[in-house]
Amino acid sequence: EAGQAEEEADRLTQWQTNEHRERDRWFRIVTQTLHGVDDPERCYQELFHHFAQPSAWKLADDAVETLMHLRDHGMMLGLGSNYDRRLWSVLAGFPELAVFGNRVFISAEVGARKPAAAFFHEAAYRLKCASSELLFVGDDRVNDYDGAIQAGWHAILLDMHGKCPDVQPRITRLIELTDLTT
């Protein structure tokens, strides 16, 4: 319920965000969700710091191979995420993701969360590309796929668990993206 309430609040502001909003948003989600925790504020702080660590995250088994293949075949790669500045410390722990260079778009820095068209338009502007030249691959139907399509991008849904068989184009593993270069 807390997550749904925050999503509704974000929708009403057309998905506007910033670092302060993200901290407040997650504070409310964590403290309202974890019932029975003696010190909800402390729990939030621990979780917030935990998810700033690279060790809290894992790359998909085929991510590095896929990214290197796409890069080697002339694709410009970027990363778009509904997150905050903690993503920079996470990325620093994965040197193989340096392939993104300065093409990292974090919602709290952009000022809008996906699925907002503003997020995608700002990324296209910074990339100096027309929206119609860009492809967004993501694992969230609403935030990634629908958001990109509505902003005029091409999109592919990464549907690893087969929850959206009606969406096309769709892949179940990242490595399937290498078919784009053949």
Side-chain angles (χ1 to χ4, degrees), residues 52-54 86-98:
Q53 306 303 313
R86 293 175 297 160
L87 184 56
W88 293 114
S89 62
V90 172
L91 290 174
F94 292 98
E96 57 270 49
L97 298 182

Side-chain angles (χ1 to χ4, degrees), residues 16-140:
Q16 293 178 14
T17 194
N18 56 43
E19 288 292 326
H20 181 74
R21 166 66 183 134
E22 288 303 310
R23 280 184 171 265
D24 286 351
R25 177 179 192 277
W26 284 109
F27 177 81
R28 284 188 291 276
I29 290 172
V30 169
T31 58
Q32 292 172 19
T33 302
L34 299 178
H35 305 287
V37 173
D38 290 337
D39 188 348
E41 268 190 63
R42 183 170 166 240
C43 183
Y44 160 76
Q45 290 297 333
E46 288 179 19
L47 287 170
F48 194 85
H49 293 295
H50 172 76
F51 285 107
Q53 306 303 313
S55 60
W57 301 93
K58 182 180 182 240
L59 296 179
D61 294 338
D62 54 353
V64 174
E65 177 185 356
T66 302
L67 293 172
M68 295 308 118
H69 177 90
L70 295 174
R71 180 204 59 197
D72 293 347
H73 283 82
M75 300 249 182
M76 177 174 56
L77 303 174
L79 175 69
S81 177
N82 280 347
Y83 208 56
D84 52 59
R85 72 173 56 120
R86 293 175 297 160
L87 184 56
W88 293 114
S89 62
V90 172
L91 290 174
F94 292 98
E96 57 270 49
L97 298 182
V99 68
F100 297 129
N102 65 350
R103 295 173 307 276
V104 175
F105 306 98
I106 302 170
S107 60
E109 293 177 358
V110 169
R113 292 181 57 229
K114 300 176 292 174
F119 177 90
F120 295 96
H121 292 298
E122 181 63 21
Y125 173 78
R126 291 182 190 181
L127 292 167
K128 297 177 176 55
C129 293
S131 295
S132 61
E133 298 176 295
L134 298 167
L135 169 66
F136 198 90
V137 178
D139 64 355
D140 185 289

